[in-house]
Amino acid sequence: MENALPKGSIVAVVGSGAMGSGIAQVAAAAGYPVRLYDSRPQAVAKAIADIGKAYARLVEKDRMSSAEANLARERLCAAGSLEELADAAIVVEAIVENLDVKRKLFADLEAVVGERCILATNTSSISITSIAAPLRRPERLVGMHFFNPVPLMALVEVISGLATSREVAGIVYATAQAWGKDPVHAKSTPGFIVNRVARPYYAEALRLLLERAADPATLDAIMRDCGGFRMGPFELMDLIGHDVNFSVTQSVFNAYFSDPRFTPSVLQQELVNAGFLGRKSGRGFYRYGDDAAKPEPQLEPHRPAPAQVSFGPGAEDAMSDAIAQRLRAAGVQVIADAERSEARFHLQNTAIHLTDGRTATERASESEVRDTVLYDLLLDPAGATRIALARADQCSDAAYNGAVGLFQAAGFAVTRIDDVPGMAVMRTVAMLANEAADAVNQGVCSAAAVDTAMRKGVNYPRGPLAWADSVGIEQIVIVLSNLAASYGEDRYRVSPLLRRKLSAGARFHA
């Protein structure tokens, strides 16, 4: 394992925007002298002043001592030209996302810096191999992808192109750790880890909206309250900006030669065409402004609680066991019924299943139980405040209302979505796990790295592969297979690694 750059090593940062100034702030606070360069000298002066204010705020919050803040500010200085970066041990580039511009910068730097200087790019989407290709020594160029805002986000993707030396990647990894970050190694492929694996979080939500499963506020609430995500997909897209989010999706789609798994959404394209870019334009899926009221998610009215429910062995899962425990604690009699094997819960003649990727309507037809209701996946079934239900088209109002009353008795706010395959949380988690498994299968990163990246880079409540282990790899494969059968699309093809793990009876994490 390589060592981090020594504390006295000079860190040069090119670009004084939000990313560049954030990188400079973190490196200086970690004890490294930093030289910040930008083609606009006034921008560098402002960035250094803003970093000083950021240190002052940290002192006010007791997260940094006055002495530490003063020393960190002293380590920061402006560079008036690239020549002033000649003795840097590492140069981190954080300029415009343009291949030709980056190539020119690194060619200019290569003519200035020492032979052992590491060249790092903060690109979020451009091939590291392509950036390095024209260099005299491409082996010393590596991706060092930080996430915004840099001082707060822990993840750094350390990305190796085809020519990147293992030693250089190892030094950058260790240096990121010395800066207080959680780095992961990745291979230079489209989207790297996070921008690739995160696509289904947006794509499945957009498809659910297109199919009128529910409105954005309802789907966001389900993903937050049931799935444990910090932000729902629609509010997150509004925050990112639809122009940015749509562009990233297009970039990954094109880079993978139109793989249907990454197909952009016509709904999001329409928002971009209309200029409804989200928060920054005042309108996206939601309206913003002092007089804008955010719509409330759908909520089912109160229904009477049943006195008892049958609980069969079914396809055993810990989530249903936790729901049964909540019902018992609420005074509902949960009666074990070994003969009711096709579903975990039965209310008289109503079958209530955890979704497996089929619609409730399809399951009702196949089982010849017309009163069929499905419930969606929960991250924390013991503590979740909301649950999503879907009813078969054949299901009677009385049967559905009974199911609503059952889950309300367990302490859930009940939200209904239309009967779409896989519901919301389950299909999203299955697709995230599928994409993560494919990234591991193709050598982009390790299973540990992809889970760390998604937790630290986009604040997912659980890594996708850890989630697959928790739900059960067999269940994930079943859901994906049923989605593929329902839609008839290659979009839902199962990763070979998921099938291999299933066949071996193995998990991604011990």
Side-chain angles (χ1 to χ4, degrees), residues 4 11 26 54 72 81 122 141 145 185 210 235 238 264 290 301 306 325 331 391-392 403 416 447 475 477-478:
V11 174
V26 166
S81 66
N122 183 55
L141 188 133
H145 181 210
H185 282 293
L210 183 67
E235 58 189 347
D238 271 6
D290 295 337
Q325 185 57 39
R391 61 185 285 184
R416 179 184 172 185
Q475 177 74 1
V477 171
I478 288 170

Side-chain angles (χ1 to χ4, degrees), residues 28 177 179 204 228 237 274 295 412 509:
Q177 285 182 318
W179 294 0
E204 293 310 306
M237 284 184 276
F412 294 104
H509 304 288

Side-chain angles (χ1 to χ4, degrees), residues 361-383:
T361 302
E362 182 181 1
R363 293 183 77 158
S365 175
E366 291 178 359
S367 66
E368 298 183 350
V369 179
R370 59 178 290 119
D371 290 332
T372 294
V373 177
L374 304 182
Y375 53 98
D376 205 352
L377 181 66
L378 298 172
L379 172 71
D380 176 18

